[in-house]
Amino acid sequence: MAAAFAADSERFEPLNADDVRSYLHKAVDFVYDYYKSVESLPVLPGVEPGYLVRQLKSAAAPPNAAAPFDVAMHELREAVVPGTTHWASPNFFAFFPATNSAAAIAGELVASAMNTVGFTWQANPAAAELEALALDWLAQLLLLPDSFMNRRTSAGTATGRTGGGVILGTTSEAMLVTLVAARDAALRRSGSDGMAGITRLTVYAPDQTHSTFFKACRLAGFDPANVRSVPTGADTDYALDPARLLEAMRRDADAGLVPTYVCVTVGTTSSNAVDPVGPAADAAAVFGAWLHVDAAYAGSACICPEFRHHLDGVERVDSVSLSPHKWLLTCLDCTCLWVRDTRRLTESLETRPEYLRNDASESGTVTDLKDMQVGVGRRFRGLKLWMVMRTYGAAKLRQHIRSDVAMAKVFEECVRSDDRFEVVVPRNFALVCFRIRPSATAGMTEEDAEAANRELMERLNRSGRVFLANTVIGGKFVLRFAVGSTLQEERHLRSAWDLIKMTTTEIIKGKMD
């Protein structure tokens, strides 16, 4: 018993420096091998639900005894990797990419090792200020107005400039916090509160807006009956028609409702449509409604002068968000939110428990980032964004964006060169929406074409050689080909196109036999 007790009471050192070095070296070797081999792995794994527990025979109960780190690494290779959808694969074309880079990985590693919780400036001054710096750098590349900057000169403070930014996890959070702020501001303006007041508030977004917006509206307490989905169509390439927005807002105002919030998108998920920011701002201003710009994916392209016009009018919006983890080489999770007046967020989200009070917070010279998000705790996300921008610079980041757009143009030209296919909407940025056209063979109806396109996507994904996703545009089943996985080269697009052509030939031949 004494010997057993002595063994159990040996000191446990989870952060033993030698172990940290050994484990991380092995993890880095794994990452190196992964990136070297990911191109040859099936993009979409051929596993069934529940596979992992069956594969890991030790998974029936939590382990009681310690095991060498090599055991976990072995199971990672043998069980976890085969069940992974490889977003890092250069043959991944399904969703908007989750880009990454050596600098981002290094920044994430260091941030994880430091493990700071920067809810207030005092809790980690460097984290708060580095986040502000990285956000201001990116805002400058986007040519956002000075009113969105974190840095305050003495003159700016004197004139009451209160804009700034915060890094959140996802676009969903950016939508949610701005919806809450807009809700509370509208209730204060109307002199009402509680459920009686909120049932009069209306919110608006084009029907191509990401579904997360409608989820955020529910979380913010808006009546689902007052969430307006403004119809779009082929006449605007599925972007918002500002006249329809204004008409819907006027109709609600005439009915005694309170237009409160408008969300527009720069680069919608289905088709990469770009809603007109300036005209939407004009419509929102008529009613004093909050206007938010969701530029999660395509906003990154606006660091390039040739794409910046998509943000024209941004100086008149209340908030704008962009996710560098999608297209700016900064690994998940990293969504930048800028607001023209941070007080409108903090009035709704601020918490001031005694244990978090400190001189810096009380002085009003800093904005504690906990008061611009849903939770209190927060990761050191600013480090990886700063590392990416500091390491690569604006010139390399623009080169990265332009390369992806150029490759998407190549794929678009391939589709247009084959009369069996059609590009369904004009290509924006690096997304091509295409399908087998009904006239691909004599007698092929619209219904036949939909069946053929569904079969095409299923066969492609089942092959493991590529991964594509679909959407529905104008009632048509459409394949989305999203360029931008960080390791992609033109040869991967051409190989995918060859596979698409070959598979289509087999499908059409099968239907004709």
Side-chain angles (χ1 to χ4, degrees):
M1 285 291 294
F5 177 79
D8 286 345
S9 62
E10 289 178 6
R11 186 179 178 191
F12 174 40
E13 297 180 278
L15 271 180
N16 178 280
D18 290 335
D19 285 346
V20 170
R21 183 171 186 170
S22 172
Y23 293 3
L24 288 184
H25 278 172
K26 291 175 180 178
V28 168
D29 285 343
F30 167 84
V31 171
Y32 175 84
D33 292 340
Y34 178 73
Y35 280 125
K36 283 291 188 179
S37 64
V38 67
E39 179 176 349
S40 64
L41 299 175
V43 190
L44 199 61
V47 296
E48 299 294 333
Y51 94 95
L52 188 61
V53 173
R54 294 190 295 271
Q55 182 76 13
L56 292 174
K57 297 181 174 56
S58 62
N64 182 57
F69 183 69
D70 287 346
V71 172
M73 292 303 296
H74 173 76
E75 292 182 345
L76 170 63
R77 289 187 177 91
E78 298 300 315
V80 177
V81 171
T84 298
T85 298
H86 297 291
W87 286 64
S89 171
N91 300 308
F92 183 102
F93 303 101
F95 308 110
F96 287 142
T99 57
N100 212 343
S101 63
I105 294 170
E108 184 79 341
L109 172 62
V110 173
S112 296
M114 289 182 169
N115 205 31
T116 64
V117 187
F119 32 58
T120 63
W121 179 90
Q122 183 194 56
N124 190 342
E129 298 198 8
L130 193 64
E131 181 165 324
L133 175 61
L135 284 162
D136 282 353
W137 278 0
L138 186 50
Q140 290 174 66
L141 293 184
L142 294 166
L143 301 182
L144 295 186
D146 192 57
S147 55
F148 285 103
M149 299 293 179
N150 286 288
R151 285 200 300 275
R152 293 174 173 79
T153 63
S154 57
T157 302
T159 58
R161 192 178 75 197
T162 56
V166 61
I167 299 180
L168 305 173
T170 64
T171 299
S172 308
E173 294 174 61
M175 289 178 174
L176 179 58
V177 298
T178 53
L179 278 162
V180 168
R183 177 199 69 192
D184 292 351
L187 290 174
R188 286 191 296 269
R189 286 199 309 271
S190 63
S192 59
D193 55 21
M195 289 303 298
I198 201 171
T199 56
R200 296 177 55 233
L201 307 185
T202 52
V203 296
Y204 307 82
D207 59 10
Q208 297 298 301
T209 302
H210 197 283
S211 60
T212 193
F213 170 74
F214 303 98
K215 179 178 182 178
C217 289
R218 294 198 303 273
L219 291 172
F222 288 94
D223 186 340
N226 290 346
V227 179
R228 309 290 186 238
S229 184
V230 182
T232 63
D235 56 327
T236 60
D237 292 330
Y238 299 95
L240 171 71
D241 179 347
R244 286 183 173 177
L245 170 64
L246 187 59
E247 179 186 359
M249 298 178 83
R250 281 181 173 154
R251 187 164 53 244
D252 285 333
D254 290 344
L257 300 174
V258 181
T260 299
Y261 184 102
V262 178
C263 179
V264 296
T265 306
V266 175
T268 60
T269 299
S270 277
S271 64
N272 245 342
V274 177
D275 296 327
V277 174
D282 293 338
V286 172
F287 305 94
W290 184 298
L291 179 64
H292 176 71
V293 177
D294 168 17
Y297 162 70
S300 293
C302 295
I303 68 171
C304 301
E306 63 268 32
F307 297 116
R308 173 56 180 77
H309 65 279
H310 292 301
L311 287 177
D312 285 354
V314 71
E315 68 279 358
R316 303 200 301 281
V317 312
D318 296 282
S319 56
V320 55
S321 61
L322 179 158
S323 297
H325 62 237
K326 288 186 181 293
W327 204 8
L328 214 56
L329 302 177
T330 307
C331 53
L332 281 162
D333 48 8
C334 183
T335 290
C336 301
L337 170 66
W338 293 272
V339 290
R340 196 148 43 92
D341 187 348
T342 58
R343 293 173 302 185
R344 297 180 71 184
L345 282 187
T346 58
E347 284 173 353
S348 294
L349 303 171
E350 184 181 54
T351 56
R352 300 184 66 189
E354 186 61 35
Y355 51 81
L356 292 183
R357 289 179 179 269
N358 60 83
D359 290 344
S361 298
E362 297 298 313
S363 72
T365 59
V366 300
T367 299
D368 288 332
L369 297 178
K370 68 177 176 61
D371 297 329
M372 295 176 67
Q373 63 177 32
V374 175
V376 174
R378 60 192 334 274
R379 300 172 57 231
F380 194 175
R381 293 190 183 99
L383 180 59
K384 62 186 175 185
L385 179 59
W386 175 81
M387 290 278 269
V388 167
M389 299 181 73
R390 188 68 188 86
T391 301
Y392 303 125
K396 288 291 186 185
L397 294 175
R398 289 181 178 124
Q399 178 185 337
H400 155 70
I401 295 289
R402 288 166 175 154
S403 173
D404 286 347
V405 173
M407 287 193 291
K409 288 180 179 178
V410 168
F411 184 81
E412 178 188 28
E413 289 166 2
C414 289
V415 174
R416 292 189 184 280
S417 69
D418 190 325
D419 61 9
R420 297 176 299 174
F421 298 91
E422 64 177 335
V423 175
V424 178
V425 292
R427 178 199 50 77
N428 274 333
F429 310 107
L431 174 71
V432 180
C433 296
F434 74 104
R435 68 170 188 155
I436 300 171
R437 66 169 74 239
S439 57
T441 64
M444 179 181 276
T445 66
E446 186 65 52
E447 185 176 307
D448 294 333
E450 174 161 336
N453 281 292
R454 288 183 181 276
E455 184 176 352
L456 174 60
M457 190 180 74
E458 182 183 342
R459 286 198 190 191
L460 293 171
N461 292 345
R462 195 168 60 235
S463 75
R465 293 168 58 186
V466 295
F467 179 28
L468 275 68
N470 73 279
T471 188
V472 174
I473 300 175
K476 301 173 183 177
F477 183 92
V478 175
L479 280 71
R480 296 172 71 261
F481 192 91
V483 177
S485 180
T486 315
L487 294 173
Q488 267 168 12
E489 300 173 12
E490 186 176 321
R491 63 185 176 89
H492 298 110
L493 277 71
R494 293 197 179 277
S495 176
W497 175 240
D498 288 342
L499 179 62
I500 290 167
K501 288 192 299 180
M502 181 185 71
T503 308
T504 300
T505 298
E506 293 172 356
I507 291 171
I508 292 176
K509 184 176 183 299
K511 293 186 180 301
M512 295 178 65
D513 288 345

